[in-house]
């Protein structure tokens, strides 16, 4: 293998950025399946594969989900503390979630809380998923609804399943550049805490 | 881009398997840095990048960690219920964790619990990390110590940081095949819970 082929992941991971604005343009369902096939190859606690993916493309269903989310986000934004409110304002984030009706697909991700490390394993698989989406030039947002257990009711999922995230997926119309990452040395220590 | 280039992630994700037995052979530190550079490109709650990675290669330090883990694993295995005990026996898993002293590197992963979705974001970044390791043909295990908050003391990390996992990383000497994954349809529903 050439060096170029062996360092594609850094290119993919660096290029992948969060999108909050989506084109309504449809995307290929088989590409979405491809990405989910990647996701379910992730390891999980005792290999229990606790993730469940609910893929939604019916417009009426998406509208219901958006409305359930916005109802809870309104509650959240009314209560939010001043510092966080300032951050939201700077980012242009409020209770409205148009991406939930505009993106061609929503992917609601659940974890079976009866399984060991269900949440951890499911988020690890979301990591796999995001890189596969990027490989297919599909954009996404790992939206974590406020009061997720209230929002969950709209899906009529069994009580053992926790709603972890709702990912709008599709083609991006978000011109914002990727949020900056700190240099590696900020997050990495050698042999003892705080040492470099 | 050719089709082959655009579907490398499924190859990587499918090939990547958990290893519990490692060669003592050193691996290239720059390869490990490469993988961590991939990991820190992951998205995180409010882009707070709550992950901290502690990379350990000093043998004395690895021995201390192994001993701290095995002490807690003993407690855990003494209390474990019959069903789980049977599963552990079938997998050849007991309280002994030789991989913690044998793998050339241990990577202890922490999350800053003051940050939103710290655990979720950190596990998403572990997903990025595992695929990058596989790209470099480096094997790993996402070992989640029993009584992690007890084990954490060995690292002398501040109280706000949760120990999420300790990953031995190196070259595999584990001949076991990858654990099977269920077909995608088991984990995927369309438009409503349980529907295909």
């Amino acid at each position: 293998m050439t060096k170029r082929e062996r360092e594609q992941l850094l290119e993919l991971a660096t290029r992948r950025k969060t999108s909050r604005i989506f084109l309504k343009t449809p995307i290929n369902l088989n590409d979405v399946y491809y990405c989910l096939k990647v996701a379910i190859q992730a390891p999980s606690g005792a290999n229990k594969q606790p993730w469940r993916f609910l893929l939604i493309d019916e417009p009426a269903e998406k509208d219901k989900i958006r409305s359930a989310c916005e109802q809870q986000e309104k509650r959240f934004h009314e209560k939010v503390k001043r510092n966080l409110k300032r951050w939201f304002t700077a980012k242009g984030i409020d209770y409205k979630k148009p991406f939930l009706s505009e993106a061609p697909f929503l992917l609601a991700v659940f974890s079976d809380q009866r399984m060991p490390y269900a949440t951890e394993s499911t988020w690890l698989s979301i990591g796999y998923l995001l890189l596969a989406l990027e490989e297919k030039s599909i954009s996404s947002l790992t939206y974590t609804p406020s009061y997720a257990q209230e929002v969950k009711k709209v899906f009529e999922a069994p009580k053992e399943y926790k709603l972890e995230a709702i990912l709008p997926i599709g083609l991006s119309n978000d011109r914002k550049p990727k949020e900056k990452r700190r240099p590696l040395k900020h997050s990495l220590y050698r042999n003892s805490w705080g040492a470099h």
Side-chain angles (χ1 to χ4, degrees), chain A residues 1 8 10 35 44-45 50-51 75 77 79 81 85 89 122 126 148 170 182 191:
Chain A
M1 250 186 248
Q8 290 209 329
L10 186 56
C35 298
S44 56
W51 40 70
R75 277 177 66 198
H77 279 266
K79 287 188 193 171
K81 283 184 193 146
K85 185 162 260 166
T89 308
T122 299
I126 294 174
R182 295 191 207 100
N191 285 307

Side-chain angles (χ1 to χ4, degrees), chain A residues 175-192:
Chain A
R175 304 257 175 104
K176 268 196 201 153
K178 176 166 176 154
E179 295 266 343
K180 284 218 169 66
R181 300 296 185 264
R182 295 191 207 100
L184 178 57
K185 66 175 182 194
H186 180 91
S187 309
L188 175 63
Y189 305 133
R190 284 294 305 281
N191 285 307
S192 68

Side-chain angles (χ1 to χ4, degrees), chain A residues 41-139:
Chain A
Q41 288 296 324
S44 56
N47 192 33
K48 291 292 185 186
Q49 305 162 65
W51 40 70
R52 293 295 180 280
F53 301 100
L54 173 53
L55 184 64
I56 297 123
D57 60 346
E58 280 176 6
E61 199 55 36
K62 289 196 288 177
D63 289 345
K64 261 172 63 184
I65 294 165
R66 176 176 174 180
S67 155
C69 289
E70 290 187 340
Q71 195 185 329
Q72 300 305 325
E73 294 293 350
K74 254 188 198 156
R75 277 177 66 198
F76 175 73
H77 279 266
E78 277 161 15
K79 287 188 193 171
V80 96
K81 283 184 193 146
R82 204 190 294 174
N83 274 351
L84 192 55
K85 185 162 260 166
R86 227 178 282 144
W87 184 86
F88 282 132
T89 308
K91 299 286 167 196
I93 297 175
D94 60 19
Y95 79 89
K96 293 196 280 297
K97 303 296 166 193
F99 51 74
L100 293 174
S101 50
E102 287 170 5
F105 286 105
L106 299 181
L107 186 68
V109 185
F110 299 83
S111 66
D112 184 343
Q113 292 291 312
R114 292 166 298 187
M115 301 305 164
Y117 300 98
T119 291
E120 289 84 348
S121 305
T122 299
W123 281 89
L124 195 160
S125 84
I126 294 174
Y128 274 43
L129 178 74
L130 296 191
L131 289 174
L133 288 167
E134 184 61 37
E135 187 186 33
K136 291 288 183 188
S137 302
I138 299 170
S139 289

